Amino acid sequence: MKTLVVRLSLAFASAVLALLPCYSWSQVALPAQDDAVHTSALVTRWGRVVTPENAWQSYPRPGMRRERWRNLNGEWDYAIRPKAEPRPTRMDGRILVPFAVESKLSGVARKVGPEDRIWYRRSFAVPGDWLGERIMLHFGAVDFEAHVLVNGGLVGSHRGGSDTFAFDITDYLKPGNNELVVQVTDPTSAGAQPRGKQQLTPKSIWYTPVSGIWQTVWLEPVPSLHIEDVNVTPDIDAGALDVDVVLNRSTGNGHAVRITAKVGGKTVSSTIVRANRRARLPVPNARLWSPDDPYLYDLDVELVAVTDPLQHLENGPREEALITKAEAEAYRTAQVTGAPLDAVRSYFAMRKSSLGPGKVAGQPMLLLNNRPVFQNGTLDQGWWPDGLLTPPSEEAIAYEIDFLKKAGFNMLRKHIKIEPAHYYYLADTMGILIWQDMPSGEEEDSLDQFVRPKASDEALMPARVTDEFEYELLRMISDLRDHPSIVTWVVNNEGWGQYASTRLGHMVKALDPSRTVNKTSGWLDTGDAGSDIFDIHTYEEVPNAPAHNRRRAIVLGEFGGIGLPVEGHLWFPDQRNWGYQTAKDRDDYLQRYRRKYAEVIRQARELGLSAAVYTQTSDVEGEVNGLLTYDREVSKLPAESFARIHAPLFERGAE
């Protein structure tokens, strides 16, 4: 089929696409518009087979599964209007959710400015067997400010570009079809909100903006009283798992939570606790999770009714027994009545991330399960030529993680981007360590918010900006803390909007003591307090070495950046693409790569270097520093060649 070129209105183009039973994104050229986004000809192999029927159909919250749910991904109506205008009477066309407006896979590829508002509309019906339950409407992520209406009623609003949110829409529903409208505004780089590398004028290390819905939208029925959150923290030293189960509201003595750890359907241990209480579950002879053995346990969490366990307490009023050992013991042996009122299925791993002695005296190292394991990673930016921040499919994620493991990497630094939950689930099941960055935020070209390497102090930011950043930082940790693959939180990158890093480092450690914290990756280091890691960025031909530090692990938070453009796989085929250094050909690339890793290996052996993060997993737009091309079709070297170069980092005695 020849390329279909459409030069009519966007609405007409969307109508054409809607009529195609299974269109190929590589064969449909988006129409020329004054507000068109550059998308290039690049499409991944996974993007070529995306359809409205198969777009992101996996369960969107793998760590908290219920049996019943309904996916709302697919084709929605959309319109882009000035944000001061009222709701449009006519829509512009169709958009494929969950892909952002600017992306090729959305079928739109239009610019959205700070003065614009995106309108989404679709209808849905609630399955008949959900009647009598509360109906939750979930969003994986919407960038940036969303207002959600059902049948004309405002059910809620949310600010934040990367975190999950949900609304109870039960009271707004009617029999039959219901109308769902989502309106979104996004200042992108005109604001200082967390946004990572999105910029209204993409260039160099700054990329195409992402606006609107960019992760899965879905419905879920729950009982009036239900499980809202499950948090797990492994303690391998004690052979136990701490489990915090929180209901959507408080309740009386007659409700409890039954928690059961299983392997292959067989119970490892089980306990019952009062609702909204902490629990500790023994996990004897635990099999530890690692990249070499990503072993996961199943976890069943059930809300159950019990005969009041406190009714027979003899010593003092029952109120005095609350949150005591007596209460815990009474509930542990409580009599369960009837079937579970609510149930979720989860999983966990027994894994420890910490700081401790290494092989070089006086130089602490990053430990995995109480032993030094060199963390060899890539800077993984998570951008795709067809989906931008949204991976084209779950299979695309699995391919990339598998490639990194075959290439001899056991870690990736998820660079100032938060992925869909399914990404971390695959990392958990496939076995790769993750340093999770908080997305940075600052205004475009803002000199007073950009902290340079030789600065003597950090920036001052308005309270509305710091409040937004800290809220999203809290939400990131809340959303992701149960994933064993995540071993380090990275609070700030290269002074981009850097403020109060020591206070923020302490805050993150208080929120999650079970992981290491890297408060500043690269550039302005603010001392040992609030951080487990001393991190430098070095793009020299031979990487510089971080200074010895008696209190923190030393790491190369970024290095490498060998550029090698591959014809036929470029975002800008007619422009000069760039790398921190540019290789003449593959032989030159190989020699440069070997030279850099020879120094990393030396630093690991002689200086006690704990980790190195190579820039980067794939090319991104005009940046050709990747191990893979932007479409993930070509590896600059065979995966086996990368693995052979990295092998000395993992030899016995090297760790």
Side-chain angles (χ1 to χ4, degrees):
M1 173 181 174
K2 294 184 179 179
T3 301
L4 175 63
V5 179
V6 182
R7 299 186 182 275
L8 301 176
S9 70
L10 187 62
F12 179 78
S14 298
V16 171
L17 291 177
L19 292 173
L20 294 175
C22 181
Y23 43 84
S24 169
W25 298 102
S26 62
Q27 296 173 328
V28 177
L30 295 167
Q33 297 283 325
D34 291 339
D35 62 354
V37 172
H38 174 79
T39 60
S40 87
L42 286 185
V43 181
T44 65
R45 70 185 80 167
W46 307 278
R48 293 189 188 101
V49 295
V50 167
T51 69
E53 292 72 35
N54 68 16
W56 275 89
Q57 294 298 303
S58 58
Y59 191 85
R61 193 172 56 184
M64 196 171 161
R65 294 177 178 268
R66 287 189 174 92
E67 294 295 328
R68 295 174 299 161
W69 69 292
R70 182 181 174 190
N71 197 322
L72 294 184
N73 291 341
E75 289 188 307
W76 296 39
D77 299 322
Y78 91 95
I80 301 173
R81 295 288 187 275
K83 65 182 180 182
E85 290 188 4
R87 177 177 171 175
T89 56
R90 296 182 62 184
M91 304 298 273
D92 292 347
R94 303 282 275 171
I95 184 170
L96 181 55
V97 171
F99 298 102
V101 171
E102 296 90 344
S103 71
K104 177 178 288 190
L105 285 178
S106 72
V108 176
R110 289 173 61 187
K111 295 177 182 177
V112 176
E115 70 285 352
D116 292 325
R117 186 181 305 274
I118 312 168
W119 293 86
Y120 294 86
R121 183 184 67 194
R122 67 157 293 159
S123 64
F124 67 92
V126 176
D129 61 352
W130 292 10
L131 296 180
E133 298 184 78
R134 308 303 295 181
I135 309 302
M136 303 299 297
L137 172 63
H138 293 268
F139 293 84
V142 179
D143 195 354
F144 165 70
E145 183 172 353
H147 304 281
V148 180
L149 299 94
V150 173
N151 296 323
L154 178 66
V155 300
S157 301
H158 178 79
R159 286 170 59 91
S162 301
D163 58 312
T164 64
F165 61 99
F167 301 117
D168 184 338
I169 62 172
T170 313
D171 297 338
Y172 300 83
L173 298 174
K174 64 182 182 181
N177 282 333
N178 294 269
E179 182 191 58
L180 171 60
V181 171
V182 182
Q183 49 174 296
V184 184
T185 56
D186 183 13
T188 310
S189 50
Q193 79 288 347
R195 68 176 190 281
K197 287 200 169 185
Q198 303 176 56
Q199 196 166 85
L200 290 168
T201 53
K203 58 183 180 295
S204 183
I205 64 169
W206 308 101
Y207 313 133
T208 303
V210 167
S211 302
I213 298 170
W214 67 279
Q215 290 187 28
T216 294
V217 186
W218 53 293
L219 295 171
E220 177 185 49
V222 295
S224 176
L225 179 67
H226 60 269
I227 299 164
E228 185 160 307
D229 285 310
V230 177
N231 290 322
V232 297
T233 305
D235 184 343
I236 69 169
D237 299 323
L241 180 75
D242 292 320
V243 186
D244 295 346
V245 179
V246 180
L247 306 185
N248 64 307
R249 58 178 171 82
S250 61
T251 184
N253 295 337
H255 292 101
V257 174
R258 181 166 56 197
I259 306 167
T260 306
K262 295 181 178 180
V263 171
K266 295 183 179 180
T267 297
V268 174
S269 62
S270 185
T271 192
I272 299 175
V273 297
R274 184 188 176 117
N276 299 314
R277 294 288 189 267
R278 291 188 170 93
R280 171 158 276 218
L281 203 63
V283 186
N285 305 312
R287 182 169 165 181
L288 303 183
W289 184 99
S290 73
D292 294 331
D293 185 19
Y295 190 79
L296 299 176
Y297 292 81
D298 295 320
L299 189 71
D300 290 349
V301 180
E302 299 167 305
L303 173 62
V304 294
V306 294
T307 302
D308 184 357
L310 302 183
Q311 63 182 332
H312 301 303
L313 287 182
E314 299 177 357
N315 299 323
R318 287 170 26 170
E319 290 79 4
E320 294 183 6
L322 299 183
I323 318 183
T324 64
K325 291 183 179 179
E327 180 195 62
E329 184 57 36
Y331 274 87
R332 190 174 296 117
T333 57
Q335 181 179 353
V336 175
T337 61
L341 306 174
D342 188 22
V344 297
R345 303 291 177 255
S346 187
Y347 66 92
F348 68 94
M350 298 300 288
R351 189 271 298 130
K352 181 179 179 181
S353 172
S354 60
L355 185 70
K359 62 186 182 64
V360 173
Q363 178 56 66
M365 287 194 70
L366 297 174
L367 307 182
L368 181 66
N369 300 331
N370 291 326
R371 70 181 187 90
V373 173
F374 190 86
Q375 298 186 19
N376 184 41
T378 60
L379 196 73
D380 195 291
Q381 308 212 57
W383 290 76
W384 301 81
D386 40 20
L388 299 179
L389 283 185
T390 310
S393 71
E394 301 87 326
E395 293 76 16
I397 298 169
Y399 171 85
E400 190 170 82
I401 294 175
D402 182 64
F403 167 81
L404 290 176
K405 294 199 69 174
K406 288 177 178 176
F409 294 98
N410 62 357
M411 179 264 280
L412 61 88
R413 179 182 165 201
K414 183 49 63 178
H415 191 40
I416 53 176
K417 179 205 175 180
I418 298 172
E419 295 280 1
H422 196 82
Y423 183 100
Y424 302 97
Y425 170 71
L426 288 172
D428 295 340
T429 57
M430 298 175 71
I432 196 163
L433 307 174
I434 293 178
W435 291 12
Q436 179 60 53
D437 287 14
M438 172 63 191
S440 299
E442 60 171 325
E443 296 172 24
E444 186 173 355
D445 299 325
S446 175
L447 296 179
D448 59 346
Q449 295 176 357
F450 198 84
V451 181
R452 302 291 175 173
K454 295 182 180 180
S456 58
D457 202 356
E458 299 173 290
L460 293 177
M461 311 284 275
R464 59 179 170 78
V465 173
T466 60
D467 288 351
E468 188 73 54
F469 183 88
E470 291 171 40
Y471 168 76
E472 293 199 44
L473 176 61
L474 171 65
R475 291 289 298 156
M476 177 185 77
I477 295 171
S478 176
D479 281 345
L480 303 181
R481 62 173 297 162
D482 292 337
H483 292 284
S485 54
I486 298 176
V487 292
T488 295
W489 301 115
V490 181
V491 180
N492 193 268
N493 178 75
E494 288 190 351
W496 301 351
Q498 180 178 333
Y499 74 95
S501 61
T502 296
R503 177 176 66 80
L504 294 177
H506 283 304
M507 183 183 82
V508 170
K509 181 63 84 170
L511 288 169
D512 182 12
S514 71
R515 289 178 173 86
T516 54
V517 174
N518 185 355
K519 68 177 179 181
T520 54
S521 181
W523 293 15
L524 183 61
D525 180 66
T526 55
D528 296 338
S531 192
D532 299 305
I533 294 172
F534 175 59
D535 177 328
I536 71 166
H537 294 180
T538 169
Y539 286 105
E540 290 73 17
E541 288 281 354
V542 176
N544 293 332
H548 175 80
N549 191 296
R550 300 187 67 85
R551 294 182 179 272
R552 290 183 279 170
I554 56 174
V555 308
L556 304 181
E558 293 183 26
F559 82 103
I562 305 171
L564 181 64
V566 179
E567 188 176 351
H569 300 273
L570 297 174
W571 181 254
F572 297 117
D574 300 325
Q575 298 181 21
R576 183 182 182 277
N577 295 269
W578 75 277
Y580 288 96
Q581 296 108 38
T582 302
K584 295 180 293 185
D585 51 35
R586 289 199 176 191
D587 287 340
D588 186 31
Y589 183 94
L590 174 61
Q591 296 309 312
R592 289 171 180 267
Y593 196 89
R594 282 176 172 164
R595 187 183 311 131
K596 290 180 183 294
Y597 261 94
E599 175 60 14
V600 171
I601 293 164
R602 184 196 72 80
Q603 292 183 23
R605 288 174 172 169
E606 299 178 10
L607 306 181
L609 187 76
S610 278
V613 180
Y614 181 84
T615 300
Q616 57 195 0
T617 301
S618 74
D619 297 346
V620 182
E621 299 198 353
E623 185 177 348
V624 290
N625 294 306
L627 306 172
L628 295 165
T629 54
Y630 196 16
D631 56 6
R632 278 68 165 181
E633 280 300 313
V634 179
S635 178
K636 308 293 177 70
L637 295 174
E640 298 77 12
S641 297
F642 287 123
R644 282 194 296 270
I645 294 170
H646 304 154
L649 292 168
F650 307 112
E651 291 173 355
R652 185 178 298 275
E655 298 178 351

